[in-house]
Amino acid sequence: MLILRRLLHTSGPGGVLSKSNLAKLRKRTGFSFVNCKKALEKYEQDVDKAEAWLQEQAQKEGWTKATKLKDRATSEGLIGLAFANHNNFSAAMVEVNCETDFVARNESFQNFVNQVAMTTLTHYRKDCEQLSEPVKISISGNDLASLKADSGQSLQDLTALTIGQVKENMTLRRALCMFVPADHYLGHYVHSPLNTIKDKDSFCQMGKYGSLVAFQQKGKVDKHKFQPGEFGRRLCQHIIGMNPLNIGEYTRPPPSEVENQDLEVPKPDEEASKGFSDSEDNIPAPPEEELPTEMLKQEYLLNPSICVGEHLLEHKVTILDFARFEIGENIDGGS
């Protein structure tokens, strides 16, 4: 305690070190006591100048570290899914990679993923405010890197800064934005989320899998049974678990065919209807036989007694587009 008091009140080039300035600078930057003390002494207790100098030094250190680590493989990381809290009309999904799952669970890394997702959503949302149909925008890693965060720094610079903090190589792999008009809905879901960060009026969830689905509901339905947010969330669960490649088409069989079938229609699984467990190990493995790749023809994951097409017809819903991200998946054929 005596040593700490001496440090806080020792006169030097910058005069007496203010305890309040030191606390303020540490809160702003997250840097160590020693580095903050050095910066305040260097700039005579000017917190703003001290902060700018610390950020500059950290940026230099980050770029040095990033250059040294750039050839290391980055197969781990997180999917970040950002969406507005007050509506279901816009969302952004990003993939940020690192070397190990240990760093993926690091607070600095997760804060960075949140920043990337929120920056992406904010940047592209301003050009998609008046829509007549859904819009899906795919963004490459290079385009992501050039976006500017609220601080004015590019995401590329912030990547290097975070590399300096976590001491691992990182890459901005890809992103995707989806926007729908006011008479449509946008479902979103992150499987087994590791973290959820609230930023102003938006949220960002992070995990190993994420999905989005744009849909429209037309016709009269029981509003107590049809909740757009929950309906979209469950469709996204299906997309993550069954990995469809396209929407496809579905035509309900003629009544005569259904009546002549002798097979007993199984009852919906009560547990399945609640959704599958939010555990990465509990993602249902596809059966060995080849599954349909068209979503509407696949068995509905949460009620295997019907296909997705039947589920949509029952609720008078049309799926217009969807997207699925899985951390580290092969995207050579396109994202």
Side-chain angles (χ1 to χ4, degrees):
M1 181 62 72
L2 181 59
I3 295 174
L4 179 60
R5 285 176 180 170
R6 284 176 179 172
L7 284 171
L8 292 174
H9 295 90
T10 298
S11 297
V16 177
L17 185 62
S18 165
K19 185 176 180 180
S20 63
N21 283 348
L22 182 60
K24 185 186 298 184
L25 187 59
R26 291 201 69 192
K27 184 176 181 180
R28 280 193 193 179
T29 64
F31 294 126
S32 69
F33 172 88
V34 173
N35 286 333
C36 289
K37 175 179 178 291
K38 181 179 178 181
L40 286 169
E41 288 178 344
K42 181 178 178 69
Y43 289 97
E44 300 183 346
Q45 306 304 307
D46 189 316
V47 176
D48 292 334
K49 288 183 179 179
E51 180 183 5
W53 181 77
L54 283 171
Q55 295 289 0
E56 183 182 345
Q57 299 306 306
Q59 190 70 70
K60 289 179 181 178
E61 181 183 341
W63 274 116
T64 301
K65 196 73 175 177
T67 302
K68 290 180 180 179
L69 302 178
K70 66 182 178 66
D71 293 328
R72 289 190 184 180
T74 53
S75 58
E76 294 292 339
L78 289 174
I79 305 299
L81 200 160
F83 53 93
N85 182 36
H86 58 279
N87 64 45
N88 290 318
F89 308 135
S90 60
M93 194 158 54
V94 303
E95 179 179 358
V96 183
N97 299 123
C98 57
E99 296 178 42
T100 65
D101 185 60
F102 177 78
V103 162
R105 296 173 183 275
N106 176 281
E107 184 178 0
S108 295
F109 181 80
Q110 292 181 3
N111 286 336
F112 175 67
V113 174
N114 169 68
Q115 196 166 23
V116 174
M118 293 297 188
T119 298
T120 304
L121 179 60
T122 301
H123 178 84
Y124 287 96
R125 183 167 52 187
K126 60 176 181 272
D127 296 325
C128 297
E129 293 180 348
Q130 300 295 328
L131 298 175
S132 58
E133 60 184 16
V135 171
K136 181 167 72 174
I137 304 170
S138 295
I139 304 128
S140 69
N142 288 335
D143 288 338
L144 256 187
S146 66
L147 296 184
K148 300 287 187 182
D150 288 342
S151 63
Q153 294 171 285
S154 70
L155 291 184
Q156 187 172 24
D157 282 339
L158 290 174
T159 302
L161 187 63
T162 310
I163 287 173
Q165 294 171 349
V166 302
K167 314 301 182 188
E168 276 195 10
N169 191 20
M170 289 167 44
T171 51
L172 297 169
R173 194 178 191 205
R174 55 176 168 162
L176 180 145
C177 289
M178 200 174 284
F179 306 98
V180 298
D183 59 344
H184 293 56
Y185 301 104
L186 187 58
H188 50 79
Y189 178 70
V190 170
H191 184 66
S192 192
L194 292 177
N195 196 2
T196 300
I197 298 177
K198 184 177 181 181
D199 183 10
K200 297 178 183 177
D201 62 344
S202 299
F203 283 84
C204 179
Q205 290 187 323
M206 287 161 268
K208 300 294 184 180
Y209 301 81
S211 60
L212 295 168
V213 61
F215 62 98
Q216 191 172 25
Q217 195 278 328
K218 290 184 176 180
K220 293 183 178 180
V221 293
D222 186 340
K223 292 186 177 180
H224 295 290
K225 292 184 178 179
F226 181 77
Q227 301 294 326
E230 182 64 15
F231 190 88
R233 188 181 76 88
R234 293 187 176 195
L235 283 177
C236 286
Q237 286 182 320
H238 174 92
I239 291 165
I240 287 177
M242 299 299 284
N243 195 17
L245 301 182
N246 51 60
I247 298 171
E249 297 180 356
Y250 174 76
T251 303
R252 177 175 282 165
S256 57
E257 285 187 25
V258 177
E259 291 172 3
N260 292 333
Q261 288 179 351
D262 295 327
L263 295 176
E264 181 182 349
V265 178
K267 295 180 180 179
D269 187 325
E270 291 183 4
E271 290 301 317
S273 67
K274 298 176 183 176
F276 57 85
S277 169
D278 254 352
S279 167
E280 190 174 329
D281 296 331
N282 287 327
I283 294 178
E288 292 184 3
E289 66 267 18
E290 188 175 343
L291 289 171
T293 58
E294 296 182 0
M295 191 196 310
L296 300 190
K297 294 178 181 177
Q298 291 178 331
E299 288 183 352
Y300 181 40
L301 185 65
L302 308 185
N303 182 1
S305 67
I306 59 174
C307 67
V308 174
E310 291 176 82
H311 178 60
L312 299 182
L313 283 175
E314 179 185 350
H315 296 279
K316 300 180 176 60
V317 166
T318 302
I319 291 179
L320 302 169
D321 210 340
F322 73 94
R324 178 188 187 274
F325 275 14
E326 178 180 344
I327 201 73
E329 68 184 332
N330 186 348
I331 56 173
D332 291 340
S335 47

